[in-house]
Amino acid sequence: MEYSFNVFNKLAPSGIILALNNLLKEQTSAPVILCIGSDLSVGDSLGPLCGTMLSERTSADIFVYGTLKKTVTAKEIKYMNEFLKDTHPKSPIIAVDAAVGSAGDIGLIKVTGSGIKPGAGANKKLGKIGDIGILGIVAEKSIFNYSLLNLTRLNLIWSMADIIAQALSGFTSENRVKIAV
């Protein structure tokens, strides 16, 4: 199942919370948030920016991996899958990442119940990660993906990260997030 929310929709954070509640209704363990991306490209910085915002808004109960200070890039996914399964065996993993899509999808935040495949838009063959995926469509898919990610407006990334962080902090049962270092 997939849910989509426009970055300009004032109800997007509430919608994301409802989507997460629906997708994780059977879960009793606190989720682990994995924010994927790099601060070297504006378009790819959605995950680390969201992780940083989330870590500043909350404190204590949920683990967040991937901030601007300590990024988790697509290259580390093969190691993160095993690490997260060993470290948080009963917790659902919510993976946050930037993505490319059609021109009409730019500005959409998609919540999916099947996790994500980081780097898929750049034709990288990396494994799936997460039980839930939150993707921000930041640029149009083309053969020039890297250059398009660098031409993405920071305001769009900032707005998406803010909405996702607001939703994730509101999703936690006691509004507490633990920052993993």
Side-chain angles (χ1 to χ4, degrees):
M1 181 163 285
E2 183 176 284
Y3 303 87
S4 296
F5 306 93
N6 191 293
V7 71
F8 298 111
N9 182 343
K10 292 189 185 288
L11 298 175
S14 300
I16 293 170
I17 291 170
L18 290 173
L20 292 171
N21 281 329
N22 189 37
L23 292 170
L24 292 172
K25 60 186 162 203
E26 304 294 320
Q27 293 291 334
T28 56
S29 300
V32 172
I33 313 298
L34 176 64
C35 298
I36 304 162
S38 169
D39 59 346
L40 298 176
S41 165
V42 171
D44 196 30
S45 65
L46 176 67
L49 188 56
C50 180
T52 301
M53 289 177 174
L54 188 56
S55 68
E56 291 172 353
R57 291 177 183 192
T58 53
S59 61
D61 186 295
I62 291 179
F63 285 89
V64 174
Y65 295 93
T67 62
L68 289 171
K69 190 181 268 189
K70 189 164 175 105
T71 61
V72 175
T73 64
K75 292 182 215 173
E76 285 120 9
I77 292 306
K78 57 184 171 186
Y79 308 111
M80 287 304 292
N81 261 328
E82 189 175 326
F83 169 77
L84 293 172
K85 285 178 188 170
D86 291 344
T87 311
H88 309 281
K90 295 180 181 177
S91 296
I93 309 300
I94 299 175
V96 179
D97 197 8
V100 294
S102 66
D105 285 348
I106 295 172
L108 288 182
I109 298 169
K110 295 187 176 192
V111 181
T112 176
S114 60
I116 61 174
K117 285 185 144 187
N123 297 320
K124 294 180 181 176
K125 306 286 187 227
L126 303 171
K128 178 183 103 59
I129 191 153
D131 301 302
I132 303 294
I134 300 179
L135 296 168
I137 311 299
V138 300
E140 186 176 0
K141 184 177 174 83
S142 79
I143 57 172
F144 305 110
N145 280 334
Y146 187 74
S147 62
L148 285 178
L149 285 176
N150 281 328
L151 296 175
T152 302
R153 305 256 338 178
L154 179 58
N155 184 52
L156 175 67
I157 304 302
W158 186 276
S159 298
M160 287 182 153
D162 185 47
I163 289 168
I164 295 167
Q166 185 179 7
L168 289 172
S169 64
F171 175 70
T172 62
S173 58
E174 297 176 19
N175 282 352
R176 291 183 294 171
V177 173
K178 186 166 191 173
I179 306 310
V181 241

